[in-house]
Amino acid sequence: MNEAIPVSRVTDHGTARLMPDVDRPRAWLLTVDGAPQSYVDLDEPAHLEFEYTRRLGHVLDTVAEPGRALDVVHLGGGAFTLPRYVAATRPGSRQDVVEADRGLLALVAEHLPLPAGAHVAAHAADARAWLEDAPADSADVLVADVFGGSRVPAHLACVGYAREAARVLRADGVYVANLADGAPFAFLRAQLAGFATLFEELALIAEPGVLRGRRFGNAVLVAAHRPPDTAALARRTAADVFPARVEHGRALRDFIGDARPVRDEDAAPSPEPPAGAFGIG
């Protein structure tokens, strides 16, 4: 067997690099401009390496009974970690992946091909533009993990975008997003406030140290019209190597406080992470 070697390519939005994991024979780390983006094990597609990705996976595991096929839209493709996960854990699911970086899509298709029968359609498009053209009531789950560099783009951080997400989801659909912020959480609180105008139920998953404002980090937002299974989510996230907490109900309303939804004309990207916040380590 030939030894796997790193692959580097300049794509539309930066320099993408695929690096093999010496401990897992067919596992790869994708970075863009040095920032970790995805981790994929081609032999074990249900393996989720990054902490925030595992939390997104926990939500995907609890939105419906185990194994049930779903219609899932992924905004942000990376190396297709979560589409592979859904294909493995919910066979027969139909998935759309929207990734603005056409060169990155080509790199992943060439070096990390999807398994046969995965039912995943890739779209080279801006996430919001694609969403605005998508049919209403067409998705069971919408997963948003879109970063321009290390920041969520402004046009995906406002009420107009949240309204499009709500339109595309079915009545029992679930929205889940990977966001990043630090104290005093102006960005995160405003995002929650915006989704609260469109969805009856919200939950937030993050490490206790992040929620207490001790450090900058990822937070997973969950929005739905029916109560999410927060008990199951809490059990799963608490059992992780890096445990997280699930906030919902009154505690989450207190966290949102007097934050107001962000109008499209006032939208700004998520804050710049401090140096080293998302480095490889």
Side-chain angles (χ1 to χ4, degrees):
M1 185 191 309
N2 293 329
E3 183 179 353
I5 59 173
V7 177
S8 184
R9 184 178 301 176
V10 176
T11 65
D12 303 37
H13 295 168
T15 299
R17 186 172 173 85
L18 288 171
M19 294 182 288
D21 186 339
V22 296
D23 296 320
R24 302 177 74 97
R26 298 184 70 220
W28 296 83
L29 172 70
L30 168 68
T31 66
V32 177
D33 291 338
Q37 297 289 327
S38 301
Y39 181 100
V40 167
D41 188 329
L42 298 178
D43 288 334
E44 295 186 46
H47 173 75
L48 301 177
E49 180 78 8
F50 295 165
E51 292 89 2
Y52 83 85
T53 310
R54 290 202 296 272
R55 289 161 198 157
L56 293 170
H58 295 324
V59 178
L60 288 165
D61 288 343
T62 56
V63 295
E65 58 270 21
R68 176 183 145 195
L70 299 171
D71 294 333
V72 184
V73 171
H74 303 263
L75 302 181
F80 287 43
T81 303
L82 286 170
R84 297 171 201 270
Y85 181 81
V86 172
T89 59
R90 296 183 177 276
S93 293
R94 295 183 302 174
Q95 302 186 78
D96 290 287
V97 179
V98 185
E99 170 58 58
D101 192 329
R102 190 180 299 270
L104 181 59
L105 285 176
L107 175 69
V108 171
E110 179 182 347
H111 291 279
L112 306 175
L114 289 162
H119 302 296
V120 177
H123 309 273
D126 173 80
R128 179 157 174 182
W130 189 92
L131 200 63
E132 289 171 349
D133 288 337
D137 305 317
S138 58
D140 297 310
V141 184
L142 200 165
V143 181
D145 187 12
V146 184
F147 283 77
S150 55
R151 306 175 75 182
V152 177
H155 69 303
L156 303 181
C158 50
V159 170
Y161 159 74
R163 190 175 296 117
E164 289 300 320
R167 181 186 64 83
V168 170
L169 283 167
R170 296 181 176 129
D172 60 349
V174 176
Y175 176 85
V176 55
N178 175 38
L179 303 174
D181 201 1
F185 302 110
F187 175 81
L188 186 56
R189 292 168 63 235
Q191 297 310 299
L192 288 161
F195 276 88
T197 66
L198 296 158
F199 293 89
E200 288 84 2
E201 301 288 342
L202 295 178
L204 187 68
I205 309 170
E207 289 184 28
V210 172
L211 291 172
R212 293 183 185 125
R214 293 177 180 169
R215 67 179 187 82
F216 191 98
N218 294 97
V220 170
L221 183 158
V222 182
H225 294 298
R226 57 181 174 81
D229 192 343
T230 52
L233 280 175
R235 287 194 300 271
R236 290 168 182 260
T237 58
D240 275 342
V241 176
F242 295 94
R245 201 167 73 210
V246 179
E247 296 286 5
H248 60 98
R250 180 172 179 177
L252 191 55
R253 290 192 295 271
D254 289 345
F255 179 83
I256 297 170
D258 59 359
R260 301 181 64 84
V262 179
R263 301 179 303 172
D264 285 39
E265 57 267 33
D266 299 327
S270 62
E272 186 76 43
F278 297 130
I280 303 171

